[in-house]
Amino acid sequence: MAAVVTFAIVIHLTNIAAVPAAVMRDAQQQVIEMFRDAGVDVRWSSEACSRGGADAVRLTLLPYETGALQRDHRAILGAAMPSSGGIGTAWVFYNPVEREADRHGVAIAPVLASAIAHEIALLLQRTPGHADRGVMRASWNHADYLRAINGRLRFSAADAEQFGSSGPLLRLGLANAGVVR
C-alpha cells in the first residue's frame, strides 16, 4: 500500500538494551518503510529529546519489561504512553523480542521493527487500540512472525486512516501538515 506522506515524526532513540548496531539499523529501515507505506515520514535521532517537540516520539529500548508487565502471562514486547508535550513515549523490551524471534525461528530485526512500529502507532492513532490482524494485533501468532520476516506484517488501510487526521497530531497542529511526495 503506497500512500502520500501527510506528516513527519522524529523518533528519538535511547538504546539502553544495547541492541547490536546491525540489528538496530535493519529495524530502523523497516520501521521507515512500514510508516512510509501508511503515509508517515519517519526520521530517527539519537539525540536526547529533552523538550519534546510537537513531532517528537521518545523510544527507549529496554532489556526487559518492568513492573506489572513482568507478571503478564503473554509475551509483552512493548508499551506506549501519550504525552501532552509531544506525541508520547514508547518502550520496546529487547529480551522478549529476542525470545519471541527465537521461539518462532525468525530473524530479530523484523520482530524488533514490528514491535517498534506497533507501539509508535498506538501513539499516533485517533483512537488508540488493537486490530484483528496485521502489525496492530494485540498478540501476534506464528504466521504473523513469518509475515514480519517477509516484510508483510504491515499496517492495514484502516490502521493508516487512524494516523494524522485527528488525535494527537491534530491537537499539536501537525495533521496533514508534513512532507508530501
Side-chain angles (χ1 to χ4, degrees):
M1 153 183 49
V4 173
V5 175
T6 58
F7 62 91
I9 61 171
V10 178
I11 301 173
H12 295 273
L13 173 66
T14 303
N15 185 1
I16 295 171
V19 174
V23 171
M24 194 66 240
R25 214 174 15 259
D26 289 349
Q28 286 175 302
Q29 185 57 43
Q30 290 172 38
V31 169
I32 288 169
E33 292 166 9
M34 291 172 78
F35 275 106
R36 184 183 323 127
D37 288 350
V40 180
D41 184 39
V42 169
R43 298 185 186 126
W44 290 92
S45 174
S46 59
E47 296 176 13
C49 178
S50 59
R51 289 192 315 270
D55 63 347
V57 175
R58 288 182 182 93
L59 171 64
T60 302
L61 302 178
L62 297 170
Y64 49 84
E65 58 275 58
T66 60
L69 295 176
Q70 291 178 322
R71 294 185 289 281
D72 198 299
H73 67 282
R74 299 167 296 162
I76 304 294
L77 305 183
M81 178 68 68
S83 73
S84 59
I87 297 170
T89 300
W91 300 270
V92 172
F93 312 122
Y94 187 67
N95 292 351
V97 164
E98 211 173 28
R99 265 193 315 273
E100 287 300 295
D102 185 55
R103 186 165 79 91
H104 292 279
V106 299
I108 297 168
V111 177
L112 179 60
S114 297
I116 291 169
H118 176 99
E119 297 306 331
I120 290 172
L122 288 171
L123 298 171
L124 298 178
Q125 292 175 326
R126 283 190 305 258
T127 306
H130 295 107
D132 293 334
R133 62 186 177 88
V135 74
M136 292 311 297
R137 277 176 69 123
S139 295
W140 300 325
N141 60 31
H142 183 69
D144 291 323
Y145 284 95
L146 295 178
R147 279 191 276 282
I149 64 166
N150 293 315
R152 293 189 349 255
L153 186 62
R154 299 288 189 165
F155 297 112
S156 69
D159 295 334
E161 288 174 9
Q162 286 281 322
F163 305 150
S165 61
S166 184
L169 296 170
L170 182 61
R171 176 175 46 78
L172 296 166
L174 293 175
N176 303 316
V179 179
V180 177
R181 292 188 203 163

